[in-house]
Amino acid sequence: MQVTIGKVLGLGGALLGATVAAAACENKAEQKPGAAQSGALGASQSLKQLMEARGLTEADVEAALKTYVPGGKHDEYMIFASGGHSGQVLVLGVPSMRLLKVIAVFAPEPWQGYGYGGESDKVLAGGDQNGKRIGWADVHHPNLSETKGDYDGKFLFVNDKANGRVAVIDLGDFNTKQIVANPLVGSDHGGAFVDPNTEYVIETSQYPVPLGRDYAPITEYKEKYRGVAMFWKFDREKGRIDPAQSFAVELPPYTQDLADAGKLVSDGWVFINSFNTEMAVGGTLEGKPPIESGASKNDMDYLHILDWRKAERLVKDGKATTIKGMRVLPMKVAADEGALALVGEPKSPHGCDVTPDGTGIVVGGKLDTHATVYEFSKIKSLIDQKKFEGKDEYGIPILAFKESIRGQVEIGLGPLHTVFDDKGFAYTSVFIESVVAKWSMKDLKVTEKLSVHYNIGHIMAAEGDTVSPDGKYVVAMNKMSMDRFTKVGPLFPQNFQLVDTTGEQMRILVDAPIGIGEPHYSQMIKIDKLAPHAAYKPGENPYTGKVDPHAVLSPKDARIVRNGTTVDVYMTVIRSHFVPDRIEVDEGDTVNLHMTSLESAEDQVHGFALNMYDVNVSLEPGKHENISFKADVPGVFPFFCTEFCSALHLEMAGYFLVKPKGG
Ligand code: RUQ
Ligand code: CUA
């Protein structure tokens, strides 16, 4: 007997025969009512019986076969997904959708020892604003570094929409190495995306403010409030953003939204959409319309078209002014020199996505039923000919909408973001309708709609932002899950759905609830492009990439050195002891702990936690950590390892004693 499995088993070879032989089907034993659920786990059941017992359809079994990855086998792709308000980045495997890691980025994370006294504190401090620690972030759009328009697997950049910051994650150790705070504005949205060779990490603002965030009355919104496009210079050698080489371009206060960099033919350009070109400023208590309705009056907002290479040249030629230490190219200069133009875009647009060949820019209209496809060559020739329809009140030239587009796709209610496959199809997330709309880029016609669950925001495709997307998978990133999962209280999980796009029809393969929210964008990279290291070099400081000057490479070198009221402790860490394991200081001393893990075996991790002083670091093999604090609380404080590293893990401990003043 055989159980026929649906014909569309498209993905990759062996799994995909049209039938699955159910060898155990000779077992004719009748299912007893009530025995169904326990029977479902029995080893000798036939596939058909298992399906019946668990209430699974053939489509379910097909989805399971396409996505099940046994322990010990690895996934084909990796997803880097925004962790939303958690401030972190989620790493998932595809097709299993297993959660592999949560990378600590903008918020402290105890397991990774991120933000609890060690070197990572300096990274978090990079995101301070006005000397204030910002304790959270809203991570929106992770973007992988690119070389020639293809993901190179080296770095990941993410933006904090809430506080206008950008982080750099090194995929050598999946650690956040740098956070930079935008000195000009307090929020961003178009970012953190890169040009095809990652010369710049680009971040465009969201809510306009006076640049530099100084005070100006809201009645002077049009005159004093501004948006900005930041070009953070990325130094690949150092693996860091170089703020001194970075610059910004001033933009009108149009509430810039999403953005994308050109590629291939449009390389060197950036496209930024906007809403609230009405420049509504609210005033609900004063009886004025809320920003929401004020911002929805016009039929058209503006897509901003920016020639960033020209802007870069203008900045180099000294045409920029400096605000809060950042070089800012005035929009008047950018416009007059032909580096900045606008073109209309239908009603409250969202999403701004350049096609893989770089010829088109797709913009969704939240309050429109269309996605508009702009044609880069048309835009370019209008700009070259200086053929403008007029200028906005800031003197920025406006191109004629009709002459700038390839066409419009009738999508449905609430199109947002668009991604691409390898066969000339685009996939647009449609928020209000809760569907993925698949459409042909050749004739701009929708060919299929797939219901997703529910209210999809972003959508993502395998290698979808490169010049050569892979096809195969699309991921719907849904805002709501309603009835999809067991209830966990009034705050429901958000839901990623893995969609198979290889067949004639799209199929949902996995529902993957996400335990933190609200996730926005993600990117999916082929696993073989990543080459993370399994351990650090002995004594390596992960934040310099070098052997730390304070590294202790042998227990023989472990020591405690007092210098006035400063105590330096040079400590080694290996299964299952710390050397030294007794440290005594005087109240008020400054204590510097220098700790090196002498482990070299893969996955042999220790932690170091110190009572009272809020100290906790993770010590992966080879890693060196430096911790500094003032011993301002007298008493006796155990320190101990926080990873179950060996049978004698609990014994991996010591004492930190602080002798009271005058004691
Ligand atoms: S934005 S849906 Cu940053 Cu669309 Cu999230
Ligand atoms: Cu080292 Cu537990």
Side-chain angles (χ1 to χ4, degrees):
M1 182 182 155
Q2 289 191 316
V3 179
T4 307
I5 305 264
K7 287 204 191 90
V8 230
L9 293 176
L11 298 174
L15 291 180
L16 312 178
T19 59
V20 169
C25 267
E26 306 318 318
N27 176 3
K28 298 261 163 41
E30 285 290 304
Q31 281 277 327
K32 291 197 194 86
Q37 281 313 312
S38 57
L41 293 174
S44 61
Q45 297 290 321
S46 74
L47 183 55
K48 192 172 179 213
Q49 284 170 322
L50 284 171
M51 285 167 66
E52 267 167 24
R54 300 205 60 228
L56 301 177
T57 64
E58 287 187 0
D60 295 334
V61 175
E62 179 200 326
L65 287 177
K66 284 181 176 175
T67 58
Y68 177 66
V69 179
K73 296 228 159 102
H74 296 182
D75 280 295
E76 190 187 356
Y77 287 91
M78 202 178 267
I79 291 178
F80 293 93
S82 118
H85 309 70
S86 75
Q88 321 295 36
V89 165
L90 305 172
V91 183
L92 298 105
V94 172
S96 72
M97 297 302 276
R98 294 179 297 197
L99 178 65
L100 300 171
K101 190 164 198 171
V102 177
I103 304 174
V105 186
F106 290 107
E109 200 289 310
W111 178 53
Q112 290 158 62
Y114 187 76
Y116 295 97
E119 293 274 343
S120 58
D121 284 21
K122 293 179 199 155
V123 176
L124 280 165
D128 290 358
Q129 293 182 346
N130 261 336
K132 261 201 195 152
R133 176 58 48 92
I134 308 288
W136 75 291
D138 188 359
V139 171
H140 268 240
H141 314 117
N143 269 252
L144 290 153
S145 56
E146 295 178 16
T147 300
K148 293 189 182 144
D150 199 6
Y151 302 152
D152 56 36
K154 294 287 189 270
F155 298 94
L156 181 76
F157 309 98
V158 296
N159 70 314
D160 165 18
K161 173 181 153 143
N163 305 292
R165 300 181 295 172
V166 168
V168 180
I169 297 157
D170 188 330
L171 296 177
D173 61 358
F174 282 51
N175 259 358
T176 304
K177 302 290 162 131
Q178 185 184 24
I179 297 175
V180 290
N182 192 317
L184 303 170
V185 287
S187 60
D188 64 34
H189 199 200
F193 61 97
V194 297
D195 63 88
N197 284 306
T198 322
E199 288 178 53
Y200 288 97
V201 182
I202 303 160
E203 177 204 24
T204 63
S205 59
Q206 179 111 80
Y207 301 108
V209 291
L211 295 188
R213 307 176 75 180
D214 290 332
Y215 175 81
I218 195 95
T219 47
E220 293 174 17
Y221 185 87
K222 287 189 180 183
E223 300 78 35
K224 302 244 170 98
Y225 288 48
R226 293 293 179 261
V228 89
M230 271 299 309
F231 292 81
W232 292 106
K233 181 78 189 163
F234 186 62
D235 183 334
R236 195 182 270 270
E237 275 299 295
K238 295 201 175 97
R240 300 291 187 276
I241 282 169
D242 183 353
Q245 298 299 316
S246 305
F247 68 94
V249 179
E250 179 196 27
L251 298 175
Y254 292 156
T255 314
Q256 285 75 23
D257 197 35
L258 283 155
D260 202 0
K263 46 176 80 109
L264 301 172
V265 288
S266 54
D267 184 10
W269 295 73
V270 161
F271 310 94
I272 311 160
N273 69 16
S274 64
F275 58 89
N276 195 12
T277 48
E278 297 84 348
M279 298 182 275
V281 293
T284 44
L285 192 60
E286 295 79 32
K288 303 210 176 88
I291 293 178
E292 168 199 26
S293 58
S296 312
K297 275 201 201 121
N298 295 353
D299 285 336
M300 289 283 194
D301 289 293
Y302 289 127
L303 179 70
H304 300 48
I305 302 150
L306 181 57
D307 180 343
W308 66 258
R309 280 200 212 283
K310 196 177 264 182
E312 182 189 47
R313 221 173 304 129
L314 292 167
V315 171
K316 279 196 182 127
D317 291 348
K319 299 277 167 62
T321 54
T322 299
I323 303 174
K324 296 270 157 85
M326 182 57 63
R327 295 177 298 171
V328 183
L329 184 68
M331 58 185 172
K332 180 86 173 59
V333 178
D336 292 350
E337 301 284 339
L340 179 62
L342 303 168
V343 61
E345 45 182 10
K347 259 188 152 16
S348 289
H350 195 59
C352 178
D353 299 287
V354 173
T355 58
D357 62 6
T359 62
I361 305 110
V362 184
V363 172
K366 283 179 307 201
L367 300 181
D368 189 66
T369 55
H370 297 98
T372 301
V373 186
Y374 295 84
E375 185 74 49
F376 177 70
S377 59
K378 293 184 180 177
I379 287 175
K380 179 80 171 43
S381 86
L382 290 174
I383 292 175
D384 288 347
Q385 296 168 60
K386 296 197 163 55
K387 210 174 148 212
F388 307 129
E389 211 178 42
K391 286 188 174 180
D392 77 344
E393 62 187 274
Y394 299 98
I396 305 170
I398 303 169
L399 313 181
F401 175 72
K402 288 250 159 61
E403 290 172 42
S404 304
I405 65 171
R406 185 183 301 175
Q408 290 189 292
V409 195
E410 181 69 53
I411 298 270
L413 293 178
L416 298 183
H417 301 279
T418 300
V419 293
F420 309 95
D421 71 7
D422 56 335
K423 299 193 180 62
F425 288 100
Y427 303 79
T428 298
S429 57
V430 193
F431 177 78
I432 301 174
E433 266 184 56
S434 285
V435 299
V436 168
K438 177 179 178 181
W439 51 276
S440 150
M441 284 201 279
K442 212 160 90 209
D443 52 18
L444 306 187
K445 290 250 158 32
V446 171
T447 58
E448 191 193 349
K449 281 186 176 177
L450 174 77
S451 288
V452 289
H453 312 88
Y454 301 91
N455 296 88
I456 178 171
H458 268 282
I459 183 168
M460 175 267 280
E463 303 246 331
D465 289 310
T466 67
V467 291
S468 56
D470 278 11
K472 290 193 186 181
Y473 299 109
V474 148
V475 176
M477 305 176 73
N478 308 314
K479 306 290 182 194
M480 295 177 197
S481 63
M482 253 99 76
D483 54 3
R484 296 299 274 192
F485 310 108
T486 311
K487 297 269 183 288
V488 290
L491 190 56
F492 286 55
Q494 308 220 336
N495 188 18
F496 291 177
Q497 288 182 306
L498 181 68
V499 177
D500 169 4
T501 59
T502 57
E504 260 155 48
Q505 288 191 311
M506 294 184 276
R507 305 270 297 258
I508 292 173
L509 298 179
V510 186
D511 268 42
I514 296 302
I516 51 174
E518 173 201 348
H520 289 264
Y521 196 47
S522 56
Q523 283 189 337
M524 194 196 298
I525 181 175
K526 201 88 194 280
I527 229 103
D528 59 16
K529 287 187 175 170
L530 297 160
H533 7 282
Y536 292 105
K537 297 183 287 237
E540 179 178 345
N541 178 332
Y543 300 99
T544 61
K546 302 203 175 87
V547 175
D548 194 274
H550 302 289
V552 201
L553 298 174
S554 154
K556 289 196 307 271
D557 301 326
R559 64 206 185 271
I560 299 175
V561 182
R562 173 176 283 281
N563 219 321
T565 56
T566 301
V567 180
D568 282 275
V569 180
Y570 296 85
M571 185 189 273
T572 59
V573 182
I574 194 165
R575 272 160 293 173
S576 297
H577 52 273
F578 300 104
V579 184
D581 58 5
R582 289 195 316 228
I583 304 163
E584 182 153 332
V585 302
D586 297 323
E587 182 183 354
D589 282 348
T590 297
V591 180
N592 303 317
L593 302 178
H594 311 287
M595 267 179 262
T596 306
S597 166
L598 299 183
E599 302 285 357
S600 57
E602 268 185 38
D603 207 8
Q604 192 59 60
V605 177
H606 301 283
F608 175 89
L610 172 61
N611 267 192
M612 183 65 73
Y613 285 94
D614 201 28
V615 164
N616 182 42
V617 296
S618 168
L619 292 155
E620 294 101 282
K623 185 170 167 184
H624 181 85
E625 269 287 2
N626 296 305
I627 299 168
S628 288
F629 60 94
K630 210 172 176 68
D632 49 7
V633 184
V636 174
F637 310 103
F639 58 82
F640 45 90
C641 176
T642 50
E643 283 277 338
F644 215 109
C645 53
S646 72
L648 296 174
H649 147 75
L650 295 172
E651 289 80 350
M652 192 168 174
Y655 280 96
F656 179 66
L657 304 100
V658 184
K659 223 194 279 170
K661 268 195 183 123

